[in-house]
Amino acid sequence: KLGTFSAINIILGKTVGVGIYSIPSSIFNSVGSVGASLLLWIIGSVISFCGLAVYLDLGTAMPRSGGERVYLERIFKKPRMLATCMFMSYVVLLGFSTPNCIVLGEYVMYALEIEVNRWNVRAVAVWVITVICVIHARYQKVGLRIINVLGVGKMLILVVVIISGIAGALMGVDLPRLSTAQQNFSNLFAGSSTQPYDYATALLKILYCFRGYSTANQVLSEVRNPIPTLRLAAPIALSLVSMGYILANVSYFLVVSKEDFRSSGVVIAGHFFKNIFGEVIGENVLPLFIIISAFGNIAATSFAQARVNQELGKDGLLPFSRFFAGKNRWDSPTPGLFLHWLVSVLVIVVPPPGEIYNFLVDIGGYPVSVISVAISLGLLYLQTSPKENWQSPFRAKKTYTVVFAASNCLLLVLPWIKPREEKGDGRFPYFAYPATALAILGSGVVYWGWWAVVRPRMFG
């Protein structure tokens, strides 16, 4: 059973991955200014706390594993299991560890000064997800120990980044020319984008970095005293993450020039370390911090995702449900781990060469907003409908629920507004990621038609 410390660490492990070390460059490129970038990180933190209130309300009322699946089944009872099948399509097809595996691979190449090609990064990514899944399958205690140790370690790494940024800025104060910090913070909102699409896409990425705050809800059956533990662990973890993310971005802008921000891509933290500590330590040693952080995130994601897959198997929703509902002789959900490993490896290997990381983050973030709208509006219904007789040890204020629902509604609409360039991230058209995400959710509707309508008529 997971205690409060382990619950905090599994949330930190799932939330703090490589996003904070790889996404800031993309955020800045989207919105165009230092002020707009930092403001979006603050807004993302506020929205996440509103979302946490929703998840605390639902999680303490229904303290069992499954997370969103359990809540959707309670809210949307008819058509039976339709919402669950849509959620299943998202959680199985997009619950992969691929983005963190890819960035881990890129930082390995960066630290070793090896030129990135189509297969070296992917080979490292496949190796990492394989090793972690084997550890969780055979050595459960070791896997939990990795999550706990790296959960603490990742917060210490964030502290190192924050202190390094402040120190780096102070070192440049006495230079005859304006320091990087003075240049970046002299006119905070100069160059800000005027395109709603840019802000929506950037905010989706930021919320993707925060989305792990609901991780404990997914494994509540394995938490000791789940209601008081969740009420304590989740706010502590999200507070630490929010402070760390905002201060880390301030540190980046204290040391890294706007030109480097635009060109650095996912290795923005590499530029940051190089500017402070020089090429040898900054490029070859300190990127190990990001590799460690990514490893911890993949470990926490795999642990939680395997149990979500197992619960879907127990409910008879997955094909070969008996297989995926099972455990091995070491009492770990090996079939669920195998499904997570398989999807992650396919998404690592199959896509064509080129920058795929930002697109994966986008299509992973958009369905989260769909589910967030459904759950938050559903909670409002449960709270206000007398016939539901909704009781929860933690009652979310309606203001928080409305803010969470409204902000996610905007994030669903704005990406469809055509930007000036008609391009999204990289070479993809602007509508590629919302259309792909909706197609994946739509595949859940098709599956439900087979599972609930066609299969019973054919096989009884």
Side-chain angles (χ1 to χ4, degrees):
K1 291 286 186 177
L2 303 174
T4 302
F5 182 70
S6 291
I8 291 172
N9 279 308
I10 200 168
I11 295 170
L12 292 176
K14 178 72 180 289
T15 309
V16 183
V18 295
I20 188 59
Y21 306 113
S22 55
I23 284 177
S25 174
S26 176
I27 304 300
F28 180 73
N29 279 327
S30 291
V31 300
S33 71
V34 174
S37 297
L38 295 176
L39 183 60
L40 278 185
W41 283 96
I42 294 170
I43 292 171
S45 176
V46 171
I47 293 172
S48 297
F49 271 104
C50 291
L52 179 61
V54 171
Y55 277 88
L56 285 175
D57 193 320
L58 292 163
T60 54
M62 295 176 282
R64 59 191 181 94
S65 292
E68 292 91 340
R69 178 190 64 83
V70 175
Y71 314 146
L72 290 169
E73 288 175 10
R74 175 66 175 84
I75 295 165
F76 301 99
K77 298 177 181 178
K78 294 181 180 180
R80 180 177 173 272
M81 304 304 278
L82 173 59
T84 306
C85 285
M86 294 178 69
F87 170 73
M88 182 180 71
S89 66
Y90 154 70
V91 80
V92 172
L93 298 178
L94 294 178
F96 43 62
S97 296
T98 302
N100 281 280
C101 292
I102 289 174
V103 173
L104 185 149
E106 293 212 12
Y107 269 97
V108 168
M109 297 303 118
Y110 182 83
L112 297 176
E113 297 185 8
I114 297 173
E115 185 179 351
V116 171
N117 61 43
R118 179 174 184 178
W119 294 113
N120 55 11
V121 169
R122 299 183 191 214
V124 173
V126 170
W127 180 83
V128 167
I129 187 64
T130 302
V131 167
I132 288 175
C133 286
V134 169
I135 290 172
H136 281 317
R138 177 61 181 86
Y139 308 100
Q140 279 198 85
K141 289 184 179 179
V142 174
L144 277 175
R145 198 169 291 121
I146 289 171
I147 292 171
N148 283 337
V149 171
L150 295 188
V152 174
K154 287 192 290 185
M155 293 311 300
L156 293 176
I157 290 168
L158 266 182
V159 171
V160 169
V161 169
I162 293 163
I163 294 174
S164 299
I166 295 170
L170 292 175
M171 287 191 302
V173 167
D174 296 327
L175 294 175
R177 55 182 173 77
L178 286 177
S179 67
T180 298
Q182 290 169 317
Q183 293 176 41
N184 286 348
F185 286 90
S186 60
N187 195 345
L188 280 175
F189 291 92
S192 295
S193 171
T194 57
Q195 301 295 307
Y197 177 92
D198 294 335
Y199 290 93
T201 303
L203 189 53
L204 276 171
K205 287 187 176 72
I206 289 170
L207 292 178
Y208 182 89
C209 292
F210 279 102
R211 70 174 185 161
Y213 62 77
S214 64
T215 304
N217 294 63
Q218 297 172 359
V219 295
L220 273 182
S221 297
E222 301 194 31
V223 174
R224 189 185 309 119
N225 300 320
I227 293 174
T229 299
L230 183 65
R231 293 183 65 169
L232 179 62
I236 290 174
L238 185 56
S239 298
L240 292 171
V241 169
S242 297
M243 289 188 294
Y245 280 2
I246 293 167
L247 292 175
N249 274 277
V250 171
S251 295
Y252 291 151
F253 284 114
L254 288 173
V255 175
V256 182
S257 68
K258 294 179 182 179
E259 291 72 25
D260 273 354
F261 246 94
R262 292 189 180 96
S263 62
S264 60
V266 298
V267 291
I268 178 65
H271 286 259
F272 171 80
F273 287 131
K274 183 180 70 174
N275 289 354
I276 298 174
F277 298 102
E279 292 192 1
V280 176
I281 297 177
E283 287 189 348
N284 303 115
V285 179
L286 295 181
L288 291 174
F289 286 175
I290 289 82
I291 293 169
I292 291 169
S293 186
F295 193 87
N297 180 275
I298 298 163
T301 300
S302 302
F303 178 88
Q305 188 65 38
R307 282 147 183 83
V308 172
N309 293 340
Q310 184 184 42
E311 291 294 319
L312 291 169
K314 288 179 180 178
D315 284 348
L317 287 170
L318 287 172
F320 313 107
S321 290
R322 287 186 180 180
F323 172 72
F324 288 113
K327 294 184 177 182
N328 64 14
R329 58 177 172 157
W330 299 289
D331 202 36
S332 62
T334 302
L337 279 167
F338 170 74
L339 181 59
H340 176 66
W341 174 87
L342 179 63
V343 174
S344 296
V345 169
L346 286 175
V347 180
I348 289 169
V349 173
V350 171
E355 293 185 7
I356 193 70
Y357 175 76
N358 286 327
F359 183 71
L360 291 176
V361 171
D362 291 339
I363 64 169
Y366 195 84
V368 173
S369 287
V370 175
I371 294 166
S372 297
V373 170
I375 285 177
S376 52
L377 294 180
L379 178 61
L380 284 176
Y381 165 74
L382 293 175
Q383 289 178 337
T384 56
S385 175
K387 68 177 182 179
E388 293 292 342
N389 192 29
W390 181 251
Q391 301 291 329
S392 176
F394 180 95
R395 193 169 183 85
K397 291 185 178 180
K398 290 181 182 177
T399 304
Y400 300 155
T401 309
V402 169
V403 168
F404 188 56
S407 57
N408 280 284
C409 280
L410 277 175
L411 292 175
L412 295 180
V413 174
L414 293 180
W416 293 98
I417 299 175
K418 184 168 64 176
R420 189 181 297 114
E421 294 82 7
E422 299 189 23
K423 281 285 185 182
D425 284 322
R427 63 183 184 275
F428 300 103
Y430 72 94
F431 56 82
Y433 80 81
T436 303
L438 289 179
I440 289 171
L441 291 175
S443 70
V445 178
V446 175
Y447 181 80
W448 175 84
W450 177 84
W451 182 83
V453 180
V454 176
R455 191 186 65 163
R457 292 179 180 177
M458 290 179 64
F459 305 105

